[in-house]
Amino acid sequence: MISIQAAEKSLNIKGKDFLTLADFSSEEIKGLLEKAKKLKDAHLQGKTSSPLKGKILGMIFEKSSTRTRVSFEAGMIQLGGHALYLNSQDLQLGRGESIADTAQVLSQYVDAIMIRTFSHEKIKELAHHATIPVINGLTDLYHPCQALADLLTIQEKKGTLEGQTLVYVGDGNNVAHSLMIASAKTGVNITIACPEGYEPDPSVLKISKEFAEQSGSEVKVSHNADEAVKDADAIYTDVWTSMGQEAENEQRLEDFAKYQVNEYLVQKAKKDFVFLHCLPAHRGEEVTAAVIDGSNSAVFQQAGNRLHVQKAVLSEIL
C-alpha cells in the first residue's frame, strides 16, 4: 500500500468549498492536477489507500448525470469512504424544505455535499448554511470539476499547459466559463468561438481576462470558428442544447449550424490537435463522428480523468 497523501506539500484547502475555480489560486489548481496525476498513476498500478475511511459524501442531483455520479461515487469508494445518492425528489427539498434547513441537517450526517443543480445561487446558499464543504458538480454558471479533467487531459497529451492554445467552439455556457477561468489561471490561451448572442457571461469573461493578465495568457471571444481554430493545440465542443434548454432546441440548431466541429474545420488546427468533449455528445450536430471517433480524439481519456480529479478534490478538501 502507498499513502495517498502523495503531494509533497499540502494545498491547505481542507474544509474549503469547491464552487468555482475563481476561488482557487493558480498554485492550488496546479497542485490539484498534480495530485490527480499521482492518484491516477497509483490507480493504474493497482495501488490503494484509504485516506477517507469513515468519510461520507452526500450527493444531491437535481440534474441527472452519468459521469458526475459514477466518478464521485467510485472515487469515494476507492479512497475508502462512502457516497450517498440523494435525488432531489427524494429529499424534503422536493417538498419545499428550505435550502438553509437542508444544509444544516445534512451537515449533521455527512462530511461533504456534492450537488449538481441549475441555479448557481442555490449552491452558494447551500454552502453558506452548511458547516461542511460543498462541491459543485455542475450549475448553470460553472462546471469546475469538468475543467480540471480537461486540463489534466491536455497536460497528459501535450506535456504542458502553459502556452497551449485551446479553442472552444459552441455555446458560451457553464463548461466554457470554467474552461476560461481554468485556462487563464494555468497559462493556456483560450478562444471561445460562438454565434452572436451566445457569448460567455460578461462578468465571467471579465474575471477570466484579469486572471489571464496575471499568467501571461489570453482569453478571447470570436464569432468566426474558421479563424479561431487556426493552429489550435486543442479543440473543444459541447452540446448545443443543454439540460433545461430543450424549448430552444430548434432555434439553437439553426444558430449553431456553422459551428459544427467537422473534418473541414479541424484541418485548420495543428496536425496533432487534441479533440475534447465533456459528453454526452450528439454525433452529427455539434461534432461529426469522424472527429469524435478519430485518432485526435481524447474524449474517453478526458471522461476517465473525471474520476481522478474528483479524487484529488475530495482527498484535499476532506
Side-chain angles (χ1 to χ4, degrees):
M1 286 177 55
I2 64 166
S3 170
I4 298 198
Q5 307 303 327
E8 285 78 3
K9 57 183 179 180
S10 171
L11 298 178
N12 295 318
I13 61 172
K14 183 177 180 180
K16 187 172 180 177
D17 294 320
F18 191 78
L19 307 186
T20 168
L21 291 174
D23 295 336
F24 292 80
S25 68
S26 296
E27 291 71 24
E28 288 168 339
I29 293 171
K30 291 174 183 177
L32 285 170
L33 293 174
E34 181 182 355
K35 184 68 173 282
K37 181 60 176 171
K38 290 179 178 178
L39 289 165
K40 181 176 182 177
D41 290 344
H43 177 75
L44 294 175
Q45 294 167 22
K47 298 176 180 178
T48 61
S49 187
S50 303
L52 299 187
K53 184 177 181 180
K55 299 290 186 181
I56 300 173
L57 174 69
M59 305 187 302
I60 301 174
F61 285 87
E62 294 190 323
K63 282 188 174 184
S64 58
S65 168
T66 298
R67 281 149 291 275
T68 300
R69 177 179 177 179
V70 178
S71 57
F72 267 109
E73 191 163 342
M76 280 299 292
I77 293 169
Q78 290 178 16
L79 294 172
H82 301 273
L84 299 176
Y85 173 74
L86 305 170
N87 185 299
S88 62
Q89 295 308 306
D90 297 332
L91 298 173
Q92 293 299 332
L93 267 175
R95 298 178 60 194
E97 183 173 52
S98 71
I99 295 171
D101 287 356
T102 299
Q104 293 179 77
V105 169
L106 289 180
S107 295
Q108 313 301 311
Y109 301 150
V110 299
D111 299 284
I113 300 168
M114 186 284 297
I115 182 169
R116 183 177 167 94
T117 187
F118 292 89
S119 168
H120 194 72
E121 291 305 311
K122 178 175 285 189
I123 199 172
K124 287 168 65 177
E125 185 178 355
L126 186 72
H128 176 73
H129 292 284
T131 57
I132 55 177
V134 173
I135 298 170
N136 183 356
L138 174 142
T139 65
D140 286 344
L141 190 61
Y142 292 120
H143 199 354
C145 293
Q146 180 64 56
L148 285 182
D150 303 337
L151 290 184
L152 180 59
T153 308
I154 295 171
Q155 192 172 60
E156 289 176 334
K157 299 295 287 186
K158 295 295 184 179
T160 185
L161 289 173
E162 193 166 348
Q164 298 295 315
T165 298
L166 168 62
V167 180
Y168 173 94
V169 182
D171 190 12
N173 60 13
N174 49 3
V175 171
H177 291 162
S178 287
L179 265 180
M180 287 161 52
I181 293 171
S183 297
K185 290 211 169 213
T186 55
V188 175
N189 301 305
I190 184 169
T191 299
I192 307 298
C194 60
E196 291 187 20
Y198 293 94
E199 295 85 359
D201 182 281
S203 63
V204 179
L205 181 61
K206 181 176 182 293
I207 62 170
S208 298
K209 285 179 175 289
E210 291 171 356
F211 294 143
E213 288 180 7
Q214 297 169 19
S215 69
S217 60
E218 284 188 313
V219 175
K220 297 187 291 185
V221 174
S222 171
H223 296 122
N224 189 320
D226 285 17
E227 289 183 3
V229 301
K230 185 178 180 182
D231 296 325
D233 295 295
I235 298 176
Y236 195 128
T237 193
D238 189 9
V239 295
W240 291 340
T241 305
S242 297
M243 205 176 300
Q245 299 172 334
E246 288 79 5
E248 305 171 20
N249 185 56
E250 188 174 339
Q251 184 64 53
R252 283 174 170 267
L253 289 176
E254 181 180 333
D255 293 343
F256 284 94
K258 295 181 179 179
Y259 291 81
Q260 183 186 69
V261 179
N262 52 36
E263 300 91 312
Y264 165 78
L265 187 70
V266 300
Q267 285 178 0
K268 301 175 185 300
K270 292 181 179 177
K271 288 186 177 181
D272 64 345
F273 82 95
V274 179
F275 175 73
L276 302 171
H277 193 306
C278 54
L279 302 180
H282 296 160
R283 288 167 174 79
E285 287 187 14
E286 74 274 6
V287 62
T288 59
V291 173
I292 193 171
D293 299 321
S295 58
N296 293 79
S297 178
V299 297
F300 297 113
Q301 179 178 339
Q302 177 188 8
N305 281 337
R306 287 290 301 278
L307 171 66
H308 307 296
V309 299
Q310 252 92 285
K311 289 166 67 175
V313 170
L314 290 165
S315 60
E316 286 294 331
I317 286 178
L318 290 177

